[in-house]
Amino acid sequence: MESPENNAQLTSTEITHLWMTYMNDSGAICHLEYELNIVEDEEIKQIIKYALEVSQSHIEQVTQIFNKENYPIPHGFKVEEDVDVTAPRLFSDTYILNTLSQLGKIGLNQYSVALPLVVRDDIYEFFSTCLRESDKLIKLTNDVLLSKGLYARSPYLPKLEKFDFVKKQSFLTGFFGEKRPLLGTEISNLYANFQRNALGSATMMGYSQVAKDSEVVEYLIRGKEIAQKHCEIFESYLKNNDLSTLPMLDSEVTDSTDYVYSDKKMMFYCSSLIALSIGYYGASMSMSPRRDIGLMYSRLVAEVVKYADDGAKLMIKNGWMEEPPRAIDREELAKND
């Protein structure tokens, strides 16, 4: 028997997260259908198939919920409109495996935010299932990355003989004089942010080769340069503490210039990555007591926010930005009377 709670009206939070899920998964399907057609490694192909089935299931479930609520279905992205699944290879299998790993991590982040905020039984169960699916996707990709020697482990820390307490105010400083070594949380965030930017640099590079609109091309090249600069900054902090760093992924991009994705699809994907970066940088800043690191992240956030704003303007200019669920504009209604 259906729970009476399932007949309750959807809240703004529930509608918004369902809408976001539809948009993200419709875009992911375009990527996965293309990658399924070009991937050579059988283990990676099986992960793509799993991720594709999950995304397609999400689209079906969100569509059913919105139809039941008489809520309009987003246009999102369509395979027939936004990707040529027969296009030549743009990225290597290694790049694809890394994007699958990030897809799981992005899902885990998105659904863990949604789950505590939704209340209707069916919506809670939907996002709870989404969370488990993302967890499985991460495990699948980790296993293959490890088996192929491609998993990038973060640096190791020395074993402590005992716990201790901070005794000097210099624990917080970082601008002048002696700087304390990086904390484990600071290392983790620098490492993870390097990984995400290395993947972002390769993505922007590949996209810039196949984009058609000249403004989009310029925007993507600018994004690649920002990602590379941020990698250099994160790497410098790690090197100054004699910690291992990671290789870039730019070599995983082929020289193909043939159409793969629509400019609209690529801009949406880049905008999503940028929004995530802002969130990750903010979290990293909150977990670092060293003032120079906090200031570094605040500067990077300002640069990324400006880049995101320019991207939004470009999408609006071309009619590519689908409007998210929003409150009623009472002033607009009054003017139309």
Side-chain angles (χ1 to χ4, degrees):
M1 181 180 295
E2 185 179 23
S3 168
E5 172 60 31
N6 290 352
N7 294 318
Q9 184 177 350
L10 289 174
T11 66
S12 59
T13 300
E14 291 164 342
I15 289 176
T16 299
H17 282 285
L18 288 168
W19 184 91
M20 289 169 58
T21 298
Y22 189 99
M23 294 295 292
N24 290 332
D25 276 293
S26 66
I29 288 170
C30 294
H31 280 277
L32 295 167
E33 290 280 13
Y34 167 66
E35 291 169 350
L36 191 61
N37 203 44
I38 63 168
V39 71
E40 296 175 354
D41 187 283
E42 189 58 36
E43 288 182 295
I44 301 175
K45 179 176 288 188
Q46 294 308 311
I47 299 176
I48 294 173
K49 287 181 178 179
Y50 171 74
L52 182 58
E53 290 171 2
V54 166
S55 289
Q56 290 171 335
S57 172
H58 291 177
I59 293 296
E60 292 173 5
Q61 292 179 72
V62 174
T63 298
Q64 290 174 3
I65 293 170
F66 278 172
N67 282 336
K68 179 182 175 182
E69 300 296 321
N70 294 316
Y71 196 84
I73 308 299
H75 181 79
F77 300 94
K78 320 289 183 188
V79 172
E80 59 273 17
E81 293 178 6
D82 296 298
V83 62
D84 178 4
V85 296
T86 66
R89 174 183 286 272
L90 182 60
F91 300 107
S92 71
D93 282 9
T94 298
Y95 169 91
I96 292 172
L97 183 56
N98 276 279
T99 59
L100 288 167
S101 176
Q102 283 299 319
L103 183 64
K105 293 171 183 175
I106 290 170
L108 201 65
N109 181 67
Q110 176 188 340
Y111 303 133
S112 64
V113 170
L115 196 60
L117 301 176
V118 301
V119 65
R120 214 172 85 171
D121 287 345
D122 57 337
I123 310 302
Y124 187 93
E125 180 57 34
F126 171 70
F127 283 118
S128 180
T129 301
C130 290
L131 201 60
R132 293 193 296 271
E133 292 165 341
S134 294
D135 176 38
K136 181 177 178 179
L137 180 56
I138 292 171
K139 183 67 170 71
L140 290 172
T141 55
N142 282 351
D143 288 346
V144 176
L145 284 165
L146 285 166
S147 70
K148 297 183 182 299
L150 296 172
Y151 188 91
R153 296 181 186 271
S154 60
Y156 295 99
L157 295 175
K159 292 182 180 179
L160 299 177
E161 296 181 359
K162 61 177 182 177
F163 69 85
D164 203 353
F165 293 92
V166 176
K167 299 180 178 66
K168 297 180 180 179
Q169 296 292 329
S170 58
F171 181 82
L172 305 174
T173 62
F175 296 114
F176 306 104
E178 184 180 352
K179 297 178 182 178
R180 62 156 172 78
L182 294 172
L183 301 179
T185 52
E186 293 165 341
I187 295 170
S188 298
N189 288 324
L190 289 166
Y191 212 71
N193 287 324
F194 183 100
Q195 282 184 302
R196 284 187 282 267
N197 276 277
L199 190 61
S201 172
T203 301
M204 301 281 192
M205 177 186 290
Y207 284 2
S208 68
Q209 293 175 190
V210 299
K212 302 306 176 187
D213 185 279
S214 60
E215 287 186 289
V216 173
V217 172
E218 291 177 8
Y219 183 78
L220 294 169
I221 291 175
R222 178 181 159 204
K224 178 196 71 173
E225 292 170 348
I226 290 173
Q228 290 176 343
K229 183 181 74 173
H230 288 198
C231 280
E232 291 173 2
I233 293 171
F234 300 139
E235 185 177 47
S236 69
Y237 276 91
L238 293 169
K239 282 185 174 179
N240 287 339
N241 282 262
D242 300 313
L243 297 169
S244 60
T245 56
L246 291 163
M248 297 292 287
L249 294 171
D250 294 352
S251 60
E252 306 300 330
V253 184
T254 73
D255 61 356
S256 176
T257 57
D258 291 348
Y259 172 88
V260 180
Y261 304 113
S262 67
D263 287 359
K264 170 190 171 185
K265 170 69 191 70
M266 292 188 290
M267 286 297 298
F268 173 83
Y269 187 66
C270 291
S271 296
S272 299
L273 292 179
I274 295 163
L276 286 167
S277 293
I278 295 170
Y280 285 128
Y281 285 0
S284 300
M285 182 165 49
S286 70
M287 289 188 277
S288 178
R290 225 174 82 173
R291 295 185 185 120
D292 61 320
I293 296 178
L295 182 60
M296 176 268 290
Y297 277 120
S298 68
R299 287 172 175 167
L300 299 189
V301 166
E303 182 176 29
V304 175
V305 167
K306 176 64 170 65
Y307 183 64
D309 185 62
D310 292 342
K313 290 176 181 175
L314 183 56
M315 292 177 72
I316 293 171
K317 174 184 175 182
N318 287 282
W320 295 336
M321 182 177 285
E322 194 163 343
E323 188 170 284
R326 63 178 177 89
I328 296 173
D329 189 333
R330 300 294 179 181
E331 290 186 10
E332 183 179 341
L333 290 176
K335 291 176 182 177
N336 291 333
D337 288 342

